[in-house]
Each structure stands twice: as structure tokens, then as C-alpha cells.
Amino acid sequence: MNEDLESVVLSEEQIAKKVSEAAAWLDKRFENVATPPLTIGVLKGSVFFLCDVVRAMRTPVQLDFMTVSSYGNSSKSSGKPKIVMDLAAPVQNRDVILIEDIVDSGHTLVEMKNLILGRGAKSFTVVTLFNKPARRKLPVQADFSCFEIGDDFIVGYGLDYAQQYRNLPYVGILKREIYEKKS
Ligand code: IMP
Ligand code: MG
């Protein structure tokens, strides 16, 4: 285990199991659609999860990405997320699948939902790896959530603290001393 972590909350094996379940759920939901759904990954946190989920799906999908920034270098959300990089293609009349790493306050999800439905998407489905219901500020939820966690700050498998720890293959709780001394 990485020495900045307090404990591991999800092993590679646990992640792989949930990835298959999320893919199976999406396959069922989109089994009869004529046009391939468009999966949208919110960079950078959801990138490994998105890649694993779409490769476990049998339904053909297309991919697009967007960068939204809410944290800067702190462990607390700054409220309103900013679009740093927009989607490459229009979403009008598309079935959109948003793949998220964590739904925390809900600000990012609300912003993405308004934006995508506002641009005329046919449907909007959200799959998230983690859900932190206790921290929710806005009344939104994912359609499929892999794991619920409390108020711990976690890193790994895409999740970062100040851009670090994303490439850990597992997810763990970051020691408080790491972020409290800097923020
Ligand atoms: P929200 O807009 O507050 O729901 O924040 C969502 C974003 O905050 C996620 O996509 C993550 O990038 C980030 N985030 C929230 N909680 C954590 C955490 O425990 N570790 C790392 N990033 C987090
Ligand atoms: Mg993030």
C-alpha cells in the first residue's frame, strides 16, 4: 500500500467485479437502441473507470470527454464547476451516458445534466464509481452507483489529491495529515 494512505477501501478485484456489474447494467438498459449511446467521461478522475466499463460492455458505444474543474489543489469543492475543456461533438438526439468517479456535493452532476439536456440530448444516464450521500448539497443521484462511502477523502484508480495518486490501481483513504498541512 502507498505510504500516504491510511487504508485501502477497494482492491483491484473489488473494482473489477463492480465494473462488470456496471457494464451489464448498461448493456441491459441500452440493449434495443438503434444508435450507439455516447459515453462521456469527466476528466481526469473517471478515465480508468470509463475505459474499463466500456470495454466490458457488449453494446457499441462512442466516447467523448470533458474537463470540469471544481477543486483546484484542495480537498474541498469550490462550489461552481468550470468547463475547462468542452465536448468534441454535439449531443443533440443522443443517448448520453455520463461516467463519473464520485458524486460528492452534486454540483458537477447538476451542471453536466443541465448542460447536456440543454443541448438536446435524448436521454441522460449517470453511472458513478463512488457516491458520498452524506456530503450532498444538491438533490441529485446517479442511476447506477458502485460504492457508497462516508466523508473520507479517497484517492487512486483515477481519483487524485492535487493531481497525485491517480495511477494507483486500487482506492484508499488519504491520511488527513497529507491534505490538512497543505489546505
Ligand atoms: P461534486 O461536484 O462536489 O459532486 O464533486 C465531484 C468531483 O469532486 C468528483 O468528480 C471528484 O473529482 C472530486 N471529489 C469528490 N470527492 C473526492 C474524493 O474523496 N477524492 C478525490 N476527488 C474527489
Ligand atoms: Mg475530479
Side-chain angles (χ1 to χ4, degrees), residues 7 9 12 23 25 27 37 42 53 72 84 100 107 120 127 145-146 152 154:
S7 60
V9 288
E12 292 185 64
W25 185 86
D27 278 335
V42 181
V53 168
V84 178
E100 261 289 21
H107 280 110
V127 170
S145 169
C146 297
D152 292 308
I154 53 173

Side-chain angles (χ1 to χ4, degrees), residues 112-162:
M112 291 296 293
K113 185 173 182 174
N114 290 342
L115 183 99
I116 286 164
L117 291 175
R119 290 181 183 177
K122 186 161 52 167
S123 69
F124 182 75
T125 301
V126 184
V127 170
T128 188
L129 180 60
F130 286 102
N131 182 27
K132 276 189 182 175
R135 300 212 351 130
R136 201 73 94 252
K137 297 262 166 36
L138 300 175
V140 280
Q141 56 185 29
D143 299 286
F144 188 96
S145 169
C146 297
F147 300 98
E148 295 226 332
I149 47 158
D151 195 4
D152 292 308
F153 196 79
I154 53 173
V155 294
Y157 192 58
L159 291 158
D160 73 308
Y161 170 66

Side-chain angles (χ1 to χ4, degrees), residues 1 17 20 24-25 38 42 48 52 58 73-74 77-78 85 99 116-117 119 125 142 146-147 167 169 175:
M1 179 178 84
K17 188 163 176 281
S20 316
W25 185 86
L38 181 67
V42 181
F48 303 115
D52 286 345
R58 284 182 318 242
N73 277 351
S74 123
S77 172
S78 59
M85 186 193 78
I99 310 263
I116 286 164
L117 291 175
R119 290 181 183 177
T125 301
C146 297
F147 300 98
N167 66 323
K175 285 181 182 162

Side-chain angles (χ1 to χ4, degrees), residues 26-27 34 46 59 66 78 151-152 174 176:
L26 284 167
D27 278 335
S46 69
T59 312
M66 187 159 179
S78 59
D151 195 4
D152 292 308
L174 189 63
R176 269 186 184 273

Side-chain angles (χ1 to χ4, degrees), residues 27-35:
D27 278 335
K28 187 146 185 29
R29 184 161 178 128
F30 293 99
E31 87 190 318
N32 294 317
V33 293
T35 314

Side-chain angles (χ1 to χ4, degrees), residues 50-129:
L50 181 142
C51 293
D52 286 345
V53 168
V54 295
R55 286 180 303 165
M57 288 174 72
R58 284 182 318 242
T59 312
V61 292
Q62 294 178 1
L63 310 187
D64 206 345
F65 296 93
M66 187 159 179
T67 308
V68 176
S69 157
S70 58
Y71 269 54
N73 277 351
S74 123
S75 71
K76 293 263 165 2
S77 172
S78 59
K80 185 136 174 98
K82 268 205 310 276
I83 297 176
V84 178
M85 186 193 78
D86 207 341
L87 301 168
V91 295
Q92 200 167 13
N93 290 325
R94 301 297 304 267
D95 289 303
V96 169
I97 302 169
L98 184 75
I99 310 263
E100 261 289 21
D101 50 358
I102 289 201
V103 183
D104 184 28
S105 69
H107 280 110
T108 310
L109 182 50
V110 165
E111 199 79 359
M112 291 296 293
K113 185 173 182 174
N114 290 342
L115 183 99
I116 286 164
L117 291 175
R119 290 181 183 177
K122 186 161 52 167
S123 69
F124 182 75
T125 301
V126 184
V127 170
T128 188
L129 180 60

